[in-house]
Amino acid sequence: MRRMVADRLLLDSEAAASMSAEEIRKIKNRMAWDAKQIRELGEELELETGQLV
């Protein structure tokens, strides 16, 4: 989660203007992968606890 926040802040910063399209794509892919992992963990917790997370 911290990495996602750091990546979002980086993409929203002035530094992003000097980044290549490839660098931005890698960051966005990493954020998507992190989001997927968080969703999967939430689903696992729901199954284990029987409660929505």
Side-chain angles (χ1 to χ4, degrees):
M1 188 74 132
R2 288 180 187 172
R3 183 171 67 179
M4 288 179 70
V5 171
D7 283 343
R8 182 77 262 160
L9 290 172
L10 177 59
L11 289 177
D12 290 343
S13 72
E14 291 180 18
S18 65
M19 296 173 76
S20 70
E22 178 67 15
E23 290 172 310
I24 291 172
R25 184 188 63 75
K26 286 180 181 179
I27 291 170
K28 287 182 177 181
N29 285 344
R30 184 171 58 227
M31 289 173 64
W33 188 86
D34 287 344
K36 179 179 179 268
Q37 294 298 309
I38 290 169
R39 278 191 308 275
E40 289 175 357
L41 286 172
E43 290 170 1
E44 285 180 30
L45 285 172
E46 282 181 33
L47 289 174
E48 290 177 9
T49 63
Q51 298 177 348
L52 292 176
V53 178

